[in-house]
């Protein structure tokens, strides 16, 4: 298992701890869930943009043999 260390302000740590407690999760679980949600959203956004660019430049890509 890999670890990632992030630095939080006191206010962020307190808010994270409060939300984790309110939802019955640990702060680490809460952070992991948030990171996974962000990665899914960004993967979708980047993938959609890549498809848009590929369609927009399809003739050029075809000429280049890509």
């Amino acid at each position: 298992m890999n670890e990632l260390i992030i630095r939080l302000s006191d206010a962020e740590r307190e808010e994270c701890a409060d939300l984790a407690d309110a939802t019955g999760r640990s702060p680490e679980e809460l952070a992991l869930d948030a990171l996974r949600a962000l990665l899914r959203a960004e993967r979708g956004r980047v993938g959609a943009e890549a498809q848009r660019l590929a369609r927009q430049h399809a003739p050029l890509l075809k000429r280049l043999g890509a």
Side-chain angles (χ1 to χ4, degrees), residues 21-33:
D21 185 53
T23 59
R25 295 180 283 175
S26 70
E28 293 80 9
E29 290 170 321
L30 186 71
L32 183 57
D33 288 348

Side-chain angles (χ1 to χ4, degrees), residues 18-59:
D18 288 347
L19 182 57
D21 185 53
T23 59
R25 295 180 283 175
S26 70
E28 293 80 9
E29 290 170 321
L30 186 71
L32 183 57
D33 288 348
L35 176 61
R36 286 174 175 161
L38 175 66
L39 291 173
R40 277 192 307 273
E42 287 298 301
R43 189 179 308 118
R45 186 185 66 78
V46 169
E49 183 65 11
Q51 288 179 352
R52 185 190 71 76
L53 289 170
R55 282 191 304 274
Q56 180 180 347
H57 299 289

Side-chain angles (χ1 to χ4, degrees), residues 3-14 16 31:
E3 290 185 8
L4 175 66
I5 297 172
I6 58 171
R7 300 196 194 297
L8 302 174
S9 68
D10 290 340
E12 290 167 332
R13 178 66 184 173
E14 185 176 323
C16 185

Side-chain angles (χ1 to χ4, degrees), residues 54-65:
R55 282 191 304 274
Q56 180 180 347
H57 299 289
L60 174 60
L61 293 171
K62 186 174 182 178
R63 284 196 316 264
L64 294 172

